Amino acid sequence: MTKLRLAIVGAGPAGIYAADILLKAERKFDVSIDLFEHLPAPYGLVRYGVAPDHPRIKGIITALREVLDRGDIRIFGNVRFGEDITLDDLKKHYNAVIFATGATRDADLDIPGIDAEGSYGAADFVSWFDGHPDVPREWPLDASSVAVIGNGNVALDVSRMLAKHADDLLPTEIPANVYEGLKASPVTDVHVFGRRGPAQVKFTPLELRELGELKDVDTVIYDEDFDYDEASKAAIASNKQVMVIDRVLQAWRKRPAANNAGGEASRRLHLHFYAKPLEVVKDADGRVAAFRWERTRPDGAGGVVGTGEIREIAVQALYRAVGYFGSALPGVPFDERHGVIPNHEGQALHPDSNERVPGVYATGWIKRGPVGLIGHTKSDAMETIRHLINDQGSWWQPVETSEEAIPALLAERGVAWTDLSGWHRLDEHEIALGAPHARARIKVVPRDEMVAVSRG
């Protein structure tokens, strides 16, 4: 019987789902799978991209952990693809590779002044408050008024974390340095801007509803944004999610804080719709001084057009939350425009000729771009795995297939990799750190400390 030796690069939901689906699939060959992850801990964006006050979403880790804990998948953490192990190495030891490296950097927002000091990408801020080991431990939180550009869940996460009082985050797994940073923040006003109207937002109702429940934070919305056109009315009538979002917003319009009319909270979170970003205004020192936008209006078809009315608001910091973007991998085809591995249903393609790249596959956000929720990743992986199974005739023919070869190779290169037992040690260590404080866990942040705990 033929045996498929598969490498998967990326141990987030996309990579783990792909491994699980392959192991459960109908096939006429045995399988062995090695997961490679550049961080010392698995679970990708579920660990490092979900706000700490969202334990419900982090509960997905329980399902992912059950897959890893079965013992039929090996994991090599703290291994950097392209440095510690290369595509040529994988070809020598495996029949195929699936890249599940996600999209972790910020998409660009091409407006004047976006490079000002105090202008940040949301992905970097999320990495900071989630304790990612590869971002600085400190974050400059010195602004009293902040702009957040974007109308998706990441924009809401960033806005909520900026506006929420740090003590209300203490029951979560928030790292100590993040708590101290947020505790000292002088913020009073967070302004969220979206270029379209309330009926076209990309929020989910649960995320939106949470904003109205923040302690000592008023949610401010403006009546001028609710003169709906026929397309918006149709969207509300035909889509349950849009209807719920509208219901939440309409309820907030009746609160004392609506239209900035004088709520009693010490902090305010403002939602501005129909706002097309024009410029980040800098002061004489090159710092963020204001955000300038053009007021838009509905075009009757679900989009917007400019009105020519220019507005400006004084802010001292700005976060762009306009989407994530994938990163190129050494030796692997990459579409610079869309930030993905060019592919047909997960089969990698040469970008110039559209010809198949034998043995190379993609799944998750590096395959389809940063759209869809975590659940979409399962169907994504199924499609990729179906092609992998059917492509048996074009698999690589490795020269060294022993299970001991990869650990030996990494040891020879001085790579301090972590394995599943190591993750269990780190997991137990973080939970133990949190226990005396009645917290779910306290994350270990420095990479070297994560590796030391994992390797015992």
Side-chain angles (χ1 to χ4, degrees):
M1 181 185 278
T2 307
K3 183 171 187 176
L4 167 63
R5 278 186 51 75
L6 176 67
I8 298 177
V9 179
I16 295 173
Y17 285 150
D20 186 42
I21 288 164
L22 175 60
L23 287 165
K24 291 175 177 175
E26 277 191 41
R27 46 190 163 75
K28 297 178 180 177
F29 48 80
D30 289 333
V31 173
S32 75
I33 300 174
D34 287 345
L35 268 174
F36 294 93
E37 170 56 52
H38 78 284
L39 292 169
Y43 310 136
L45 276 182
V46 185
R47 180 174 164 95
Y48 289 116
V50 174
D53 58 348
H54 276 176
R56 181 187 60 84
I57 298 176
K58 287 183 179 291
I60 293 167
I61 285 178
T62 304
L64 298 176
R65 178 173 180 149
E66 286 174 1
V67 175
L68 294 182
D69 283 357
R70 285 201 314 255
D72 49 9
I73 303 165
R74 291 197 303 180
I75 183 166
F76 295 90
N78 200 41
V79 177
R80 292 178 172 89
F81 177 79
E83 296 177 37
D84 301 324
I85 199 159
T86 67
L87 189 62
D88 284 340
D89 293 327
L90 298 182
K91 287 180 179 178
K92 289 176 187 172
H93 296 89
Y94 299 93
N95 299 101
V97 58
I98 297 175
F99 289 99
T101 50
T104 56
R105 62 189 174 101
D106 285 287
D108 293 330
L109 179 61
D110 188 16
I111 59 173
I114 197 66
D115 59 343
E117 187 178 345
S119 172
Y120 310 107
D124 292 334
F125 184 55
V126 171
S127 292
W128 174 74
F129 68 59
D130 266 332
H132 195 295
D134 296 339
V135 300
R137 301 293 301 279
E138 304 305 317
W139 190 272
L141 290 161
D142 49 10
S144 61
S145 187
V146 181
V148 178
I149 314 304
N151 259 183
N153 282 344
V154 175
L156 291 193
D157 275 355
V158 167
S159 305
R160 194 180 65 256
M161 290 294 289
L162 287 166
K164 197 169 187 173
H165 291 275
D167 285 352
D168 294 331
L169 290 162
L170 271 179
T172 74
E173 60 181 42
I174 185 173
N177 64 300
V178 176
Y179 168 74
E180 295 298 337
L182 292 172
K183 180 78 172 170
S185 168
V187 71
T188 58
D189 291 85
V190 178
H191 297 268
V192 188
F193 294 90
R195 67 177 64 219
R196 297 200 291 171
Q200 288 81 40
V201 297
K202 300 297 183 184
F203 313 143
T204 50
L206 183 64
E207 293 264 359
L208 181 65
R209 202 178 280 122
E210 283 178 330
L211 292 187
E213 299 167 355
L214 299 182
K215 203 183 300 179
D216 192 34
V217 179
D218 278 333
T219 307
V220 183
I221 60 175
Y222 298 88
D223 283 342
E224 65 174 357
D225 291 332
F226 291 87
D227 185 13
Y228 288 146
D229 67 336
E230 291 306 315
S232 294
K233 292 175 183 175
I236 293 165
S238 62
N239 185 304
K240 187 176 180 182
Q241 179 161 302
V242 178
M243 181 181 68
V244 173
I245 286 170
D246 178 63
R247 195 178 293 155
V248 171
L249 294 172
Q250 296 293 351
W252 291 352
R253 290 179 70 187
K254 299 170 185 171
R255 291 182 176 182
N259 298 290
N260 230 2
E264 298 178 358
S266 66
R267 294 179 177 180
R268 289 158 296 281
L269 205 161
H270 307 253
L271 298 182
H272 303 271
F273 302 101
Y274 298 114
K276 177 187 175 183
L278 290 183
E279 183 180 359
V280 181
V281 181
K282 301 180 186 180
D283 65 14
D285 298 319
R287 290 190 53 86
V288 172
F291 172 62
R292 186 173 295 154
W293 74 95
E294 179 183 10
R295 177 80 177 164
T296 62
R297 62 174 173 79
D299 66 0
V304 292
V305 293
T307 65
E309 180 189 347
I310 310 302
R311 297 184 181 182
E312 186 176 300
I313 190 167
V315 293
Q316 301 84 47
L318 179 140
Y319 294 79
R320 70 183 191 278
V322 294
Y324 287 95
F325 204 76
S327 299
L329 299 156
V332 181
F334 189 68
D335 180 338
E336 295 283 353
R337 185 179 169 202
H338 298 102
V340 298
I341 294 172
N343 69 91
H344 168 70
E345 297 183 346
Q347 299 168 305
L349 303 174
H350 290 288
D352 301 327
S353 64
N354 269 352
E355 290 181 7
R356 286 257 331 276
V357 181
V360 179
Y361 299 84
T363 192
W365 280 3
I366 198 65
K367 169 188 173 183
R368 71 179 188 272
V371 291
L373 304 174
I374 289 171
H376 292 93
T377 309
K378 277 189 179 176
S379 54
D380 215 27
M382 285 178 183
E383 183 178 70
T384 297
I385 293 300
R386 186 177 74 247
H387 281 296
L388 171 66
I389 291 171
N390 292 335
D391 290 345
Q392 187 171 344
S394 61
W395 290 350
W396 297 330
Q397 299 303 313
V399 294
E400 173 55 85
T401 58
S402 76
E403 296 286 327
E404 296 77 31
I406 293 298
L409 177 69
L410 295 175
E412 182 185 317
R413 292 178 179 172
V415 179
W417 81 89
T418 61
D419 58 15
L420 186 60
S421 297
W423 161 239
H424 288 162
R425 276 191 288 273
L426 178 61
D427 187 39
E428 290 161 7
H429 179 73
E430 290 181 340
I431 291 169
L433 289 177
H437 310 284
R439 295 176 59 187
R441 72 174 64 231
I442 295 178
K443 268 186 189 167
V444 175
V445 179
R447 182 184 281 262
D448 55 356
E449 190 179 333
M450 291 176 72
V451 173
V453 172
S454 297
R455 289 174 67 89

